[in-house]
Amino acid sequence: MDWDAFFTVHSDLPREGPGCAADVHWALDAAGVSGAVPVCDAGCGPGADLEVLAEALPQARLTGVEMHAGFVQSARSRCARFGDRVTVVQGDMARPGGPYDLIWCAGALYFLGVTEGLSGWRAALAPGGWVAFSEPVLLDGEQPQAVREFWAEYPAITDLAGIAARVTAAGYRVRGHRLIVGAPWSAYYDPLQARIDHLRGTEPDSALGEALDRDAAEIALWRAASGQIAYALMLVQPE
Ligand SMILES: C[S@@+](CC[C@H](N)C(=O)[O-])C[C@H]1O[C@@H](n2cnc3c(N)ncnc32)[C@H](O)[C@@H]1O
C-alpha cells in the first residue's frame, strides 16, 4: 500500500467509513447520554460524527482522537465553530484519555481488535459509561461472491453472534445493536467515487492509479451486493 497515494485519494472526503447522523442519535437515545458529559470519538477521521455529536450534545465536552494528521486538521476545521468544547487530539485511540461517559468509535475498533480495544477502554470509561462501535458483520444466509470478495481483506469478520462473543470476552455486555446497511454506505462511497472520477482526470502516476483502481474495485463490489454488506453498530457496557 502506497500511503501517500491512499491519502491523496482519501482527502477532502466528508467521512472515511459508512455511517450517518441517525446512527449517532440512535446510540445517544439508547444510552440516555445527555447534558454536560465528556464524550470521545475514537478514530474520528475527518470528524463527521464528531460534528453530529457536538450538535446533539450542546453542553458536552468532546474529544476526537485520530492518528492521521490530515484527518486531524479536517476534524478541527469542521468543529471550530464549537470552540473549546470540542478538542481533536492527534494520538493513539488505544489510550484515549478520559474518563468518558461515551466512547463513540465508527469503523475503527477493528484496528485494535474488538476484545483488545474494549478491554483497554475500561479504564477510559466513567462509572456507567458506554461504548458504541461499528464493526463489519456477516448477515445471515448464503454469502454471494461479491460479499466474500468485499471482505477478503478482513478474514476476522463474523456474524452478529461472533461480535457479541468478542464483546463478552472483554467483560462487556451488549445493550443494543442496529445494522448499518445501504444509505450510510452511499454517504461514504458516493463522495469517494466523485473524488476518484476527479483524480482520474489529473493524469495520475502509477501509485495513484493503483490506489484509484483499488478503491473503485471496492465500490464496484459494494454496488454488486449493497444490501448484504453491513456493519453492526454495537452499544455495549462493562459488566
Ligand atoms: C475507517 S476510518 C473511520 C473514520 C471515522 N470514524 C468515520 O467514520 O469517518 C478509521 C479511522 O481510524 C483511524 N485510526 C486507526 N487506528 C488508529 C489508532 N490506533 N489511533 C487513532 N486513530 C486510528 C484512521 O486513521 C482512520 O481515520
Side-chain angles (χ1 to χ4, degrees):
M1 175 83 78
D2 182 316
W3 288 107
D4 284 344
F6 175 87
F7 284 117
T8 298
V9 181
H10 289 258
S11 64
D12 300 328
L13 295 175
R15 58 180 310 123
E16 280 296 322
C20 63
D23 298 328
V24 176
H25 292 136
W26 171 83
L28 294 178
D29 287 349
V33 172
S34 63
V37 289
V39 170
C40 178
D41 185 343
C44 66
D49 294 338
L50 192 57
E51 192 176 16
V52 175
L53 285 163
E55 284 171 345
L57 299 170
Q59 296 172 297
R61 297 181 308 285
L62 295 114
T63 304
V65 182
E66 169 56 48
M67 68 169 22
H68 175 59
F71 293 161
V72 170
Q73 283 307 324
S74 299
R76 283 181 181 155
S77 309
R78 192 170 192 157
C79 292
R81 66 191 168 98
F82 300 110
D84 59 10
R85 204 161 73 69
V86 178
T87 306
V88 183
V89 177
Q90 185 176 7
D92 185 353
M93 66 179 174
R95 289 177 293 281
Y100 300 107
D101 282 41
L102 171 68
I103 299 176
W104 170 265
C105 185
L109 186 54
Y110 53 76
F111 286 106
L112 302 181
V114 170
T115 303
E116 297 80 357
L118 289 178
S119 299
W121 284 350
R122 267 177 173 275
L125 286 176
W130 301 80
V131 178
F133 69 95
S134 60
E135 169 72 8
V137 67
L138 290 177
L139 302 181
D140 292 342
E142 184 83 5
Q143 306 297 329
Q145 178 67 15
V147 175
R148 291 199 296 274
E149 283 183 39
F150 185 89
W151 292 121
E153 289 183 17
Y154 189 46
I157 189 170
T158 66
D159 61 8
L160 195 57
I163 299 175
R166 283 178 274 158
V167 169
T168 303
Y172 283 60
R173 182 182 297 234
V174 176
R175 298 292 191 184
H177 78 273
R178 75 185 219 151
L179 290 180
I180 296 176
V181 65
W185 290 75
S186 297
Y188 170 45
Y189 281 140
D190 289 354
L192 178 57
Q193 183 65 62
R195 177 111 183 116
I196 292 167
D197 295 344
H198 164 72
L199 289 171
R200 291 244 195 250
T202 64
E203 299 185 17
D205 63 19
S206 64
L208 183 54
E210 281 173 26
L212 294 171
D213 289 347
R214 196 166 39 244
D215 279 341
E218 180 180 318
I219 294 171
L221 286 172
W222 174 72
R223 288 203 171 122
S226 63
Q228 289 141 298
I229 291 174
Y231 274 11
L233 177 57
M234 309 296 294
L235 185 63
V236 306
Q237 263 186 318
E239 293 277 10

